[in-house]
Amino acid sequence: MIKSIKTWILVGFASLLLVACGQGGGGGSKKSKTLDDTKKAGFVKCGVSQGLAGFSNADESGNWSGIDVDVCRAVAAAVLEDAEKVKYFPLSAKERFEALKAKQVDVLARNTTWTLTRDAELGLTFVGVNFYDGQGFMVPKASGMKSTDDFRAGMSVCTNIGTTTELNLADFMARKGLEYKLVGFEKADEARDTYGAGRCDAYTTDKSGLAAQRTVLPNPDAHIVLPETISKEPLGPVVRQGDPIWEDIVRWSLNVMIEAEEYGINSGNADSLKSSDNPAHKKILGVEDDMGIKLGLDNDWGYRIITQVGNYGEVYKKHLQDSGILPGNRGANELWTNGGIIYVPPLR
Amino acid sequence: MNNKNKKYLLQSALILSIVSLFIFFATNAQINMSNRGLQFGFGFLNREASFDIQFTLIEYSRSSTYLRAYLVGLLNTILVAFFGIIFATILGVIVGIARLSKNYLINNLASAYVEFFRNLPLLLQLFFWYYAALRVLPLPQDAGEFFFSSYLTIKALYLPALRWENFYVFLTLFIISIFLIIVTKFYTKKIQEKDGTQFPIFLISVAILLILPSLSLIFGFSSFSIEKPELLKLSETTYTFEGGLEIPPEFIALLFALSLYTATFIAECVRAGIEAIGKGQKEAAASLGLNPNLVLKLIVMPQALRVIIPPTTNQYLNLTKNSSLASAIAYPDLALVFAGTALMQTGKAIEIVSMVMFTYLLLSILTSVLMNWYNKKQQITEK
Amino acid sequence: MRKIFFIKPNISNLNICLPVGSFLILLSFLDIFLNTFYNLNPSFFIIGPVNKVLPLLLGMIGFYLIRIEYSGKKYLDIFNKKINLNNFNALCTLIISFSIIKIMPIFLSWFIIDANFVGDNKDACTGSGACWVYIKVWFERFIYGMYPASEIWRINISFILIIVFGLFGLFSNEKIKRYLILYYAVVYPILAFIIIYFLVSGGVFNLEWVQTNAWGGLSLTFIVAFFALIFCFPIGLFLALGRRSKLIAVRYVSIGFIEFWRGVPLITVLFMSAVIFPLFLPSGVYIDTLVRAIFAIALFEAAYIAEVIRGGLQALPKGQYEAARSLGMGYWKSNYLIILPQALKIVIPGIANTFLALVKDTPLIFVVGLLEIVGMTNLAKTNPKWLGLAMEGYIFAGLIFFLICYVMSKYSQSLEKKLSSER
């Protein structure tokens, strides 16, 4: 019973009694502590957003879904053989890195932008990109604004604070030489709500976020997202630095979903493709070459991810296109073979 | 072992355990931070903040430093606390006196107000004002002028502003007149103590305060013009006001919540203070032939103040500390700007949270020192 | 005023003044009443600004006429004494009652008449009043937060158990009464903790583990307030004793501790528990957010409790200390048997007030991402299906808090009265 959460009493009193548990960082060892702990606990501890439709969102009965959620489900499928064995921890922008560092969560899949500072200074590792995003603006349609060139000095802009969004906005407005009023909230919902009430003339966040938030405004058709993209926001899952085995498992759980789409494997045909002659199919589905063993898992890991979660294209379609959040073509998030920039190292 | 040694042992054990707790925490923090590649230090204060703040009292832009952002937050905290204290005091005194009214309705209305507002969490009241009450305000283009070119809109309260030329002349005269009033008070009091002559001090003070500063205007040393807010079109449907004074709704909501909440406590202090003055005091004063107003002014209030001031100071401190709830509604105070945005942008958790805590601590200690000094001064007259 | 009226109301013309005055007052209220509820203006024949102030004028004259000292009529005298002492008093009375009549219908129609009670989604809210359907639909969330619906019975049972164990003291006889302090100070908290830990948190006995960030709503308010109360009292007690200790180190440590917590806002303390405290622990050790938040609140309120108890200790006459010592009692024994029972009795109202403040402070746990009832209403208002209903949610949460706090404050006031009469 070594659920960290189950050590309440012990830890509370132990720390008061100054019993130093002389454990180091745990880095460099061959075994993965995170993997062992996860197997013992029987679930993956996954940090998600406090609600962003299409990425990570809970319904009335408390079930989580979204493309970020599916990264955690893929990891659970790979490690614990069951995609449902995930506990979700909704985190604010402020808490997210601290929660990961303090081992409250083991995977942070919370539409987090990959930047040098975060990668280098915060003691974290970004394992890949599951969505290429960029910051944009939403304005009321009736305002007649067609692009950011129509912005006038004196306008107020609602946004979330403490993220790259706020910094990009400041940079952008400074470049344009516009005086503006920043109305910053810690929660995306509050920012959207405040914009919807007319307190702000524009609302800025990542474009995927804008699309998702637009659908939940009282009258979605009364608002448009301006065409400009003012920043690069590659969003991806994050893990703690210092556990390379766990890092690899999360990275390749994501990669195998993308690789599967590239080679045409989906949840429907995975069983039949197990007998395929294509070596790529064999590697992904664990028929040959022991890819899973190399990661410290079993060889069926890829098969389980694809059957239980789906390939990247399926996940994207289900959560972003079919839900009406980002209908239309996938843009940058199309595979590189189809003109997008989704490209992962080969699974070999 | 004798008693004395036992005492020393106990105390050294206490100090030792506290020191070791600190060392334990510090070592852990050091290990944890070096594991994560973090470094402790306040060097970030000189780095460029690169974020914007909506409401600043001093000049600030995205290229300002984190230190500057800290000052902006601190000043915003002080601003809202200052006005909150003024409003809460005015309201609290009125309600406190109303609770002692002989009129059944006034009395009960006042106590209903007190019971209602003091029994609701401040955060809830803040949410109510910001997310519910102030959300029903009109858009700028629909807002009517309600008081001398003022407009109350969902975006802000726009007021006409005074634009000064050579403000310092006016300010100097203003300060001189306040100084003069203090001097006059001092001397009239001395004369009164000597031969009992009473001066209309209040009228003299008002006259000095009105006449002297306005001299600078009359002779043209300084002048001001009134700048009215003008409707400005931003796009087809969005408008704002330009010019004048702009007070954001976040500030208004915070001010409302803080003053309405704290006023209930101040009202109770005032009531208790006045009630603490024995009936005998009032009767004795009345038998000396003083009229009820003079009784209140000369006998009751000076004594009641001695009882009222210490708990009221505590309420002022509470108000200042409670202003940190601003972070729930986007008013850029110290908690939001520094413990919010700056913390998230730099990741310097220990440095920033301790800076914020020590700032509040310092404000508290300063106020208590000031109040203790005032209290002592008040108590001296007591025999 | 006196010059305007040629009649000087006194006991001799009581028979004229009373009916005329009462009639005028009735007329003024009738005018306002008709005006508000039926939108009629009975005084339409009077034009100009006089029309607006007519009820006030009538009322003032009426009140003047019935203001008769020692009329011999008991009710009239009480009436005059309560709300009709002088002209200013009468004016206040009239303005207040007119305002109440004017505002009443607006409140009534929003709260009840035009409000919507039936239905199960927002479309059912067609009236212009409040949408109480929202409260009905979200009720479970407001009480239990995001706790899985199928597991809610666990919270209910835990609370019933805790209340039952809490009432234990009422049924005790003299024999076990002396152990009651021990029971409430040590056994009961541990018992409550075990109940919450195993039943609400789960993870054992085939109960599904529910992580603390799924807890929420009113039940979380209770859990946080309950445990913070239990922890803050003993800590505060020791701090108060420490501050009055003769040992310099103990005294200064206590003073430093108390003044530090009293000088900082609770929100920053919670920030600290959320972002700094994990850094202070050995790596790999993780304490749950809720536990950290409860400890932060407990430490914070303990400083306030300590100051309240210190007030009680200071109020005790020196003789009590000396008497205890002359009986040969040591520090702990004299405190336990003589000093504290008396000191604590004096400060019960102060302690109750601090507890009240603690309950009102629980919503602040939103800064560590925990949503009790205020946080839940704030979350629910952003739900896309229920936009624009912030007011209803806040009123609901406010009502619940008001009930809890009002009862508590009335109880402490009655205790205060009882105690002050005993002395």
Side-chain angles (χ1 to χ4, degrees):
Chain A
M1 204 40 79
I2 310 194
K3 281 177 200 166
S4 63
I5 203 142
K6 304 256 82 176
T7 48
W8 275 12
I9 329 173
L10 209 103
V11 161
F13 288 117
S15 62
L16 285 175
L17 291 171
L18 306 181
V19 182
C21 323
Q23 297 170 286
S29 67
K30 278 237 165 180
K31 282 182 75 182
S32 164
K33 187 152 190 321
T34 317
L35 181 60
D36 292 347
D37 287 349
T38 305
K39 278 182 174 164
K40 265 182 209 153
F43 51 80
V44 173
K45 291 183 284 180
C46 177
V48 290
S49 78
Q50 287 164 314
L52 180 61
F55 285 78
S56 42
N57 206 12
D59 62 13
E60 283 96 343
S61 39
N63 299 320
W64 286 86
S65 63
I67 66 165
D68 278 346
V69 165
D70 279 349
V71 173
C72 288
R73 294 181 68 234
V75 175
V79 176
L80 301 169
E81 312 194 358
D82 185 353
E84 302 310 314
K85 286 187 174 166
V86 186
K87 288 276 180 201
Y88 298 99
F89 293 81
L91 299 169
S92 69
K94 186 186 218 155
E95 313 169 273
R96 55 181 164 180
F97 300 123
E98 207 42 62
L100 182 62
K101 287 186 283 189
K103 302 195 179 175
Q104 184 185 2
V105 298
D106 292 326
V107 183
L108 180 70
R110 195 206 168 279
N111 49 299
T112 303
T113 305
W114 188 348
T115 66
L116 182 143
T117 313
R118 284 175 176 173
D119 210 345
E121 258 195 347
L122 295 179
L124 307 169
T125 300
F126 284 79
V127 297
V129 175
N130 68 337
F131 192 87
Y132 286 97
D133 213 336
Q135 191 176 335
F137 290 92
M138 179 158 65
V139 295
K141 203 180 211 166
S143 71
M145 285 190 255
K146 292 279 178 279
S147 75
T148 55
D149 294 336
D150 296 328
F151 283 2
R152 293 284 169 267
M155 68 186 299
S156 16
V157 182
C158 280
T159 188
N160 307 0
I161 57 162
T163 63
T164 45
T165 313
E166 189 186 10
L167 304 182
N168 293 333
L169 175 68
D171 287 350
F172 178 76
M173 289 301 203
R175 265 205 312 278
K176 286 215 145 207
L178 284 179
E179 289 269 327
Y180 73 105
K181 299 265 173 335
L182 170 100
V183 185
F185 291 86
E186 287 195 1
K187 282 171 73 185
D189 285 343
E190 309 289 20
R192 181 248 299 153
D193 206 38
T194 308
Y195 161 76
R199 165 79 180 86
C200 298
D201 304 308
Y203 171 43
T204 178
T205 187
D206 293 349
K207 280 193 158 178
S208 60
L210 286 180
Q213 296 287 14
R214 197 178 82 106
T215 60
V216 292
L217 276 166
N219 183 4
D221 293 331
H223 303 272
I224 54 161
V225 175
L226 296 180
E228 286 102 323
T229 302
I230 65 167
S231 70
K232 289 192 289 187
E233 308 282 341
L235 310 179
V238 196
V239 296
R240 272 186 301 279
Q241 220 162 1
D243 193 337
I245 295 174
W246 181 254
E247 185 185 320
D248 286 342
I249 290 171
V250 179
R251 173 175 297 126
W252 287 98
S253 296
L254 170 64
N255 287 357
V256 78
M257 288 163 75
I258 297 169
E259 190 86 345
E261 191 195 359
E262 196 175 328
Y263 288 99
I265 311 174
N266 59 40
S267 52
N269 64 11
D271 278 311
S272 58
L273 285 180
K274 260 196 159 176
S275 51
S276 151
D277 290 333
N278 188 334
H281 291 170
K282 283 183 175 173
K283 285 191 177 77
I284 293 169
L285 294 171
V287 182
E288 63 171 47
D289 274 0
D290 288 348
M291 289 299 164
I293 304 288
K294 288 173 190 163
L295 279 174
L297 301 167
D298 62 318
N299 280 334
D300 264 351
W301 69 290
Y303 170 75
R304 281 195 304 270
I305 290 176
I306 293 157
T307 49
Q308 295 180 16
V309 184
N311 72 29
Y312 181 75
E314 284 178 281
V315 167
Y316 189 99
K317 185 166 162 21
K318 180 170 150 201
H319 298 301
L320 294 173
Q321 289 175 313
D322 292 353
S323 64
I325 291 164
L326 288 171
N329 64 42
R330 278 161 60 177
N333 293 298
E334 189 59 82
L335 287 181
W336 63 286
T337 46
N338 293 340
I341 53 172
I342 292 281
Y343 178 103
V344 289
L347 199 92
R348 61 182 312 124
Chain B
M1 201 196 299
N2 67 24
N3 217 0
K4 208 170 177 186
N5 282 345
K6 213 165 130 190
K7 277 181 187 166
Y8 280 121
L9 201 71
L10 189 78
Q11 299 194 57
S12 10
L14 179 78
I15 293 175
L16 199 72
S17 51
I18 288 172
V19 169
S20 37
L21 190 70
F22 266 102
I23 293 175
F24 174 69
F25 281 164
T27 338
N28 282 327
Q30 210 166 22
I31 294 171
N32 284 327
M33 283 170 63
S34 67
N35 274 350
R36 296 165 195 181
L38 304 176
Q39 263 155 11
F40 184 84
F42 288 90
F44 75 95
L45 285 174
N46 292 322
R47 285 207 325 238
E48 188 180 89
S50 65
F51 55 83
D52 284 309
I53 302 174
Q54 78 153 306
F55 182 73
T56 60
L57 292 177
I58 51 173
E59 207 159 295
Y60 173 88
S61 74
R62 58 176 288 283
S63 48
S64 304
T65 59
Y66 276 105
L67 189 64
R68 191 100 183 152
Y70 166 81
L71 285 178
V72 168
L74 179 62
L75 285 175
N76 281 346
T77 291
I78 292 174
L79 181 80
V80 78
F82 178 77
F83 282 102
I85 284 172
I86 290 178
F87 286 139
T89 308
I90 295 172
L91 191 63
V93 169
I94 292 173
V95 174
I97 293 173
R99 282 205 70 177
L100 295 168
S101 161
K102 290 198 180 88
N103 187 316
Y104 181 80
L105 282 178
I106 299 178
N107 189 332
N108 275 283
L109 202 67
S111 60
Y113 159 76
V114 170
E115 289 296 346
F116 187 72
F117 280 91
R118 74 182 294 171
N119 282 324
L120 291 179
L122 180 58
L123 186 71
L124 182 72
Q125 297 190 32
L126 191 59
F127 281 156
F128 173 83
W129 289 114
Y130 186 62
Y131 290 118
L134 293 183
R135 283 292 155 88
V136 300
L137 291 174
L139 293 170
Q141 61 270 35
D142 303 329
E145 184 177 334
F146 77 95
F147 171 72
F148 191 67
S149 302
S150 303
Y151 301 88
L152 188 58
T153 77
I154 193 167
K155 280 189 177 173
L157 168 65
Y158 299 94
L159 299 170
L162 298 181
R163 295 278 170 241
W164 286 89
E165 304 247 339
N166 297 329
F167 182 59
Y168 64 95
V169 181
F170 184 85
L171 193 69
T172 322
L173 284 174
F174 186 77
I175 291 166
I176 290 174
S177 60
I178 284 180
F179 181 72
L180 270 180
I181 287 170
I182 294 170
V183 171
T184 339
K185 256 203 171 140
F186 185 74
Y187 273 102
T188 48
K189 204 177 174 189
K190 269 209 162 158
I191 294 169
Q192 192 188 339
E193 274 167 8
K194 221 161 132 196
D195 51 18
T197 331
Q198 284 196 24
F199 294 91
I201 300 168
F202 183 72
L203 283 180
I204 296 175
S205 312
V206 171
I208 293 176
L209 207 57
L210 283 182
I211 294 167
L212 205 58
S214 55
L215 280 179
S216 70
L217 297 175
I218 294 165
F219 292 106
F221 292 122
S222 61
S223 64
F224 67 86
S225 56
I226 296 172
E227 189 185 271
K228 289 180 185 174
E230 302 280 350
L231 198 62
L232 175 77
K233 190 170 178 175
L234 292 171
S235 70
E236 295 296 324
T237 55
T238 54
Y239 292 79
T240 186
F241 280 93
E242 204 186 23
L245 203 62
E246 182 182 337
I247 302 169
E250 291 80 23
F251 180 83
I252 300 173
L254 190 61
L255 192 63
F256 259 58
L258 285 177
S259 8
L260 285 174
Y261 182 72
T262 315
T264 63
F265 294 93
I266 294 178
E268 287 298 276
C269 299
V270 170
R271 184 181 68 116
I274 296 177
E275 273 182 343
I277 308 307
K279 231 181 178 173
Q281 293 280 337
K282 288 176 213 167
E283 284 163 1
S287 70
L288 283 175
L290 293 174
N291 69 30
N293 276 336
L294 280 179
V295 173
L296 196 69
K297 190 180 149 199
L298 297 176
I299 309 295
V300 177
M301 267 335 225
Q303 297 188 64
L305 275 183
R306 220 172 284 162
V307 187
I308 293 170
I309 284 171
T312 307
T313 323
N314 262 335
Q315 294 309 325
Y316 290 168
L317 276 180
N318 282 344
L319 188 146
T320 311
K321 283 184 279 171
N322 284 336
S323 71
S324 58
L325 289 185
S327 51
I329 59 157
Y331 174 72
D333 79 327
L334 190 58
L336 186 76
V337 168
F338 214 58
T341 307
L343 177 85
M344 286 186 267
Q345 298 299 1
T346 58
K348 299 272 181 196
I350 296 182
E351 295 88 333
I352 284 178
V353 175
S354 50
M355 259 178 93
V356 170
M357 282 180 116
F358 278 104
T359 309
Y360 280 110
L361 198 60
L362 207 66
L363 283 178
S364 299
I365 290 171
L366 275 183
T367 325
S368 337
V369 166
L370 217 68
M371 272 303 136
N372 281 341
W373 169 80
Y374 180 83
N375 241 352
K376 274 212 178 102
K377 214 182 122 211
Q378 286 276 331
Q379 303 296 348
I380 288 168
T381 48
E382 212 170 44
K383 299 241 161 74
Chain C
M1 250 347 198
R2 211 158 282 172
K3 280 171 198 157
I4 305 167
F5 299 118
F6 34 90
I7 303 173
K8 168 87 184 79
N10 58 37
I11 194 148
S12 58
N13 52 24
L14 176 73
N15 288 336
I16 309 166
C17 287
L18 188 58
V20 174
S22 314
F23 178 70
L24 287 177
I25 294 170
L26 201 71
L27 216 59
S28 72
F29 274 86
L30 195 71
D31 186 295
I32 289 284
F33 190 80
L34 289 176
N35 209 325
T36 323
F37 287 94
Y38 298 97
N39 217 1
L40 294 172
N41 191 358
S43 51
F44 60 91
F45 48 86
I46 305 172
I47 39 167
V50 184
N51 187 348
K52 295 251 186 269
V53 294
L54 184 74
L56 214 55
L57 217 61
L58 288 176
M60 282 301 282
I61 299 171
F63 270 125
Y64 176 78
L65 286 176
I66 64 167
R67 196 179 304 130
I68 300 164
E69 271 179 64
Y70 312 115
S71 62
K73 292 197 190 308
K74 200 176 154 205
Y75 293 108
L76 183 64
D77 281 349
I78 293 173
F79 181 83
N80 280 338
K81 201 178 158 201
K82 289 243 162 162
I83 59 171
N84 190 17
L85 212 55
N86 51 39
N87 283 328
F88 175 71
N89 222 316
L91 184 69
C92 293
T93 304
L94 280 174
I95 290 176
I96 291 172
S97 21
F98 288 170
S99 319
I100 290 173
I101 293 175
K102 283 265 183 205
I103 294 168
M104 254 334 212
I106 303 173
F107 271 86
L108 271 182
S109 67
W110 191 83
F111 270 96
I112 297 165
I113 299 166
D114 292 334
N116 300 281
F117 296 92
V118 282
D120 50 11
N121 57 34
K122 203 192 170 191
D123 298 331
C125 292
T126 46
S128 57
C131 179
W132 299 121
V133 179
Y134 166 68
I135 305 295
K136 206 171 74 183
V137 172
W138 280 85
F139 187 77
E140 218 162 62
R141 296 277 87 89
F142 288 159
I143 305 295
Y144 301 105
M146 288 301 175
Y147 206 83
S150 56
E151 307 289 321
I152 281 173
W153 60 271
R154 281 157 53 179
I155 296 189
N156 292 337
I157 289 189
S158 314
F159 277 50
I160 291 170
L161 280 178
I162 288 174
I163 292 170
V164 167
F165 282 121
L167 294 175
F168 193 68
L170 293 180
F171 306 108
S172 60
N173 54 27
E174 280 302 319
K175 221 173 175 182
I176 47 170
K177 211 157 201 171
R178 66 168 96 175
Y179 299 110
L180 226 50
I181 285 193
L182 188 76
Y183 171 72
Y184 277 113
V186 185
V187 182
Y188 185 51
I190 295 175
L191 219 56
F193 181 79
I194 290 172
I195 292 170
I196 296 287
Y197 182 61
F198 285 106
L199 210 53
V200 180
S201 178
V204 279
F205 308 132
N206 276 337
L207 292 173
E208 190 198 337
W209 176 54
V210 183
Q211 69 265 46
T212 50
N213 54 14
W215 306 10
L218 189 63
S219 54
L220 185 64
T221 311
F222 284 141
I223 291 173
V224 171
F226 180 80
F227 284 107
L229 282 185
I230 282 176
F231 289 124
C232 80
F233 185 73
I235 302 172
L237 191 63
F238 281 111
L239 284 175
L241 289 176
R243 191 164 185 169
R244 285 176 60 78
S245 168
K246 289 200 176 63
L247 308 175
I248 295 175
V250 176
R251 187 163 70 234
Y252 279 100
V253 167
S254 305
I255 291 178
F257 191 88
I258 292 172
E259 293 306 327
F260 175 76
W261 293 109
R262 273 161 46 89
V264 295
L266 180 54
I267 215 167
T268 58
V269 178
L270 288 167
F271 270 143
M272 195 169 95
S273 87
V275 294
I276 296 191
F277 192 66
L279 282 174
F280 286 162
L281 295 176
S283 69
V285 177
Y286 173 74
I287 300 182
D288 187 78
T289 320
L290 179 61
V291 178
R292 278 185 275 146
I294 289 176
F295 266 101
I297 296 178
L299 285 177
F300 180 81
E301 301 288 351
Y304 287 83
I305 290 273
E307 285 299 276
V308 172
I309 295 176
R310 184 171 74 117
L313 292 173
Q314 276 173 344
L316 276 196
K318 227 176 176 181
Q320 295 290 335
Y321 292 87
E322 284 157 2
R325 199 175 308 144
S326 69
L327 285 173
M329 290 179 173
Y331 177 80
W332 293 111
K333 203 172 176 190
S334 65
N335 260 319
Y336 181 70
L337 291 175
I338 312 284
I339 308 299
L340 283 179
Q342 300 184 63
L344 288 182
K345 200 176 161 193
I346 306 175
V347 295
I348 284 175
I351 293 174
N353 276 336
T354 314
F355 284 177
L356 199 67
L358 188 154
V359 172
K360 281 188 290 176
D361 278 341
T362 49
L364 294 192
I365 54 174
F366 85 95
V367 294
V368 294
L370 295 168
L371 301 176
E372 48 63 75
I373 184 164
V374 175
M376 275 316 293
T377 53
N378 215 30
L379 180 80
K381 81 166 201 301
T382 57
N383 185 292
K385 289 179 198 155
W386 297 94
L387 292 173
L389 297 172
M391 193 85 88
E392 283 87 341
Y394 294 145
I395 287 173
F396 175 71
L399 209 64
I400 286 178
F401 261 104
F402 181 76
L403 281 179
I404 297 170
C405 298
Y406 186 74
V407 169
M408 271 177 86
S409 73
K410 280 291 152 205
Y411 181 66
S412 94
Q413 278 166 21
S414 72
L415 271 180
E416 202 168 348
K417 273 206 186 108
K418 203 172 136 199
L419 291 173
S420 65
S421 63
E422 269 173 21
R423 259 185 283 158

